Amino acid sequence: MRILKLQKKDFFPFLEVISKKAELWAPVAKQGGPPAETLPDPHWASLAKREKFSFERIQDFSKIAMNTTRTIIPPKKIMVPASFNMFHFDEKEYREDLSHVTNRILFGVHPCDIHGLLILDKLFSQAYSDPYYLEARKKTIILGLSCWPDEFCFCKSTHTDIIEEGYDLFFTNLESHFLVWIGSSRGDDLIRLAPDYFDERLTEKDIKTYINWQEERDNAFQTEINFTRLPDLMELKYKAPFWEEAGAACLACGSCSMVCPTCNCYNVVDKQFLGNRPGQRLRYWDSCTLTEYSEVAGGENFRGHKSQRLRLWYTHKLRAYVSKYGKPSCVGCGRCLVTCPVQIHAKSVADALEGHPVDAFWKKFAEEVSK
Ligand code: SF4
Ligand code: SF4
């Protein structure tokens, strides 16, 4: 694998060249959300004060947020939009609709999110091929970007803090320059569009700078989860009372699934129109934490209780995927930690499974209710 050096002054000129080839998408700062002073809970007030980020189409390079934490929604939204039309149909035929899939360059994807895409690659290509996902994946060039952990990141625990595949180029953001890893022939083609910006000669000082950066980043992680015990603990604690406690507090809002880079469930709905207009089959994101998810004809629900649905969500993440692929389908991005309104997330559930004290709203809620 080749590693090149790109001076920061040459970064925008390089983007200028490559963005002529495809739509450029990257993280930008996002406004919105409730004002911090209206939130009574210090956890939510402190989160409300932080900048949020979102992958958006870029027209002005200066809008690109280079030092971001996680985006609100992971890059799965580029591969599979939250809702889209799969095909039009009438009484004679159906016509596939791939109009939402365009050639894109997605810059700023962090290692954990590239691991998330690698997990989706397996899920959408092995048992059944998903043409919509695979077409979008084929047409999206991934430009990874290094990141710095905040207190909610735990990708070091899931071994997803570094990445060796799944990208076309990967930019490590150092003081005055980037080190750029070429991960594919498509990445190499991009470099060939502007070879003069890149330098193949790395000095001892460049290498030392990179090693120091790696060591400092490695030491910056504040949250740790021991994933090796969790598959067994999911089995051993299948009937533990904390599932009921978490279920009682859960709002069944589905936000945990929307933000998780590896959640991939979806539903399809047919939309028909009066007259001779063709119908549409719409596909949209779904979540096993939602009430209707396990509902069947006749109104029966296999997982009518929120605790059952939460347990299913965590069984998939922490046990089932490990049985099949040898690792959890959690990539340690921290999105569920900053999103769940009642703090049911990978860390608080792991603490409950381990029998550690749980510092989360849902636990306090259970203690209040039992008084
Ligand atoms: S379970 Fe939470 S931390 Fe893990 S990948 Fe999903 S959103 Fe990220
Ligand atoms: S666990 Fe949290 S985010 Fe997920 S459905 Fe329940 S309340 Fe919503």
Side-chain angles (χ1 to χ4, degrees), residues 79-90 93-101 130-133 266-273 277-285:
M79 310 302 159
V80 189
S83 69
F84 66 93
N85 181 37
M86 298 168 75
F87 53 79
H88 299 276
F89 62 86
D90 55 29
E93 59 176 7
Y94 76 90
R95 289 174 306 284
E96 214 159 43
D97 181 1
L98 285 162
S99 57
H100 62 282
V101 181
D130 181 333
Y132 302 95
Y133 174 85
Y266 62 87
N267 201 353
V268 291
V269 172
D270 284 353
K271 206 168 162 190
Q272 285 172 307
F273 304 96
R277 289 163 61 201
Q280 291 180 324
R281 177 157 296 179
L282 303 175
R283 167 171 161 175
Y284 58 87
W285 293 356

Side-chain angles (χ1 to χ4, degrees), residues 246 249-257 287 289-290 306 310 313-314 336 339-345:
C250 173
L251 305 172
C253 64
S255 302
C256 44
S257 298
S287 167
T289 59
L290 299 176
K306 289 180 285 179
L310 281 179
W313 202 90
Y314 283 96
C336 54
T339 301
C340 174
V342 294
Q343 294 176 294
I344 300 166
H345 48 60

Side-chain angles (χ1 to χ4, degrees), residues 154 256 259-262 313-314 317 329-337 346:
F154 57 93
C256 44
V259 301
C260 181
T262 66
W313 202 90
Y314 283 96
K317 296 271 175 242
S329 66
C330 169
V331 294
C333 70
R335 286 188 178 88
C336 54
L337 278 72

Side-chain angles (χ1 to χ4, degrees), residues 71-352:
T71 50
I72 301 166
I73 302 287
K76 71 178 178 184
K77 77 170 190 181
I78 305 290
M79 310 302 159
V80 189
S83 69
F84 66 93
N85 181 37
M86 298 168 75
F87 53 79
H88 299 276
F89 62 86
D90 55 29
E91 67 275 14
K92 294 200 197 91
E93 59 176 7
Y94 76 90
R95 289 174 306 284
E96 214 159 43
D97 181 1
L98 285 162
S99 57
H100 62 282
V101 181
T102 51
N103 288 317
R104 289 189 175 126
I105 296 172
L106 182 60
F107 172 76
V109 190
H110 293 169
C112 65
D113 278 344
I114 299 176
H115 280 279
L117 289 175
L118 291 173
I119 287 174
L120 294 185
D121 288 351
K122 286 197 179 82
L123 296 170
F124 283 134
S125 68
Q126 291 192 345
Y128 303 97
S129 280
D130 181 333
Y132 302 95
Y133 174 85
L134 295 175
E135 186 65 11
R137 189 74 161 103
K138 196 169 75 190
K139 290 195 165 169
T140 307
I141 291 177
I142 302 290
L143 306 188
L145 176 66
S146 62
C147 50
W148 202 261
D150 67 4
E151 68 269 44
F152 303 108
C153 294
F154 57 93
C155 54
K156 199 172 152 187
S157 303
T158 47
H159 307 295
T160 51
D161 53 325
I162 55 168
I163 185 75
E164 286 169 356
E165 57 173 333
Y167 60 84
D168 297 291
L169 295 175
F170 189 90
F171 292 71
T172 298
N173 191 355
L174 301 173
E175 289 152 19
S176 61
H177 61 274
F178 297 98
L179 287 188
V180 183
W181 273 251
I182 303 176
S184 73
S185 56
R186 288 200 306 190
D188 200 41
D189 290 345
L190 291 182
I191 301 285
R192 283 171 200 276
L193 291 174
D196 294 347
Y197 293 136
F198 295 87
D199 193 348
E200 221 154 338
R201 294 157 303 169
L202 300 188
T203 63
E204 275 306 313
K205 185 165 171 262
D206 294 332
I207 297 168
K208 185 73 187 140
T209 305
Y210 173 65
I211 292 171
N212 290 344
W213 175 87
Q214 266 289 6
E215 280 175 1
E216 276 179 41
R217 179 176 181 266
D218 216 37
N219 292 329
F221 284 91
Q222 303 164 50
T223 298
E224 200 181 336
I225 297 176
N226 183 342
F227 278 84
T228 46
R229 279 194 291 268
L230 296 185
D232 285 344
L233 288 174
M234 280 302 300
E235 200 70 56
L236 293 165
K237 299 246 179 132
Y238 197 73
K239 293 190 176 159
F242 80 81
W243 290 115
E244 288 296 330
E245 295 172 354
C250 173
L251 305 172
C253 64
S255 302
C256 44
S257 298
M258 304 304 128
V259 301
C260 181
T262 66
C263 272
N264 55 84
C265 289
Y266 62 87
N267 201 353
V268 291
V269 172
D270 284 353
K271 206 168 162 190
Q272 285 172 307
F273 304 96
L274 291 174
N276 288 328
R277 289 163 61 201
Q280 291 180 324
R281 177 157 296 179
L282 303 175
R283 167 171 161 175
Y284 58 87
W285 293 356
D286 203 351
S287 167
C288 59
T289 59
L290 299 176
T291 316
E292 304 80 19
Y293 185 86
S294 306
E295 210 168 55
V296 292
E300 293 303 319
N301 196 324
F302 291 114
R303 295 185 193 88
H305 294 285
K306 289 180 285 179
S307 58
Q308 296 168 317
R309 302 200 292 271
L310 281 179
R311 200 166 51 194
L312 176 73
W313 202 90
Y314 283 96
T315 300
H316 277 160
K317 296 271 175 242
L318 305 177
R319 190 168 71 76
Y321 197 84
V322 182
S323 311
K324 199 159 180 195
Y325 297 107
K327 58 182 184 182
S329 66
C330 169
V331 294
C333 70
R335 286 188 178 88
C336 54
L337 278 72
V338 297
T339 301
C340 174
V342 294
Q343 294 176 294
I344 300 166
H345 48 60
K347 174 75 175 120
S348 65
V349 168
D351 283 340

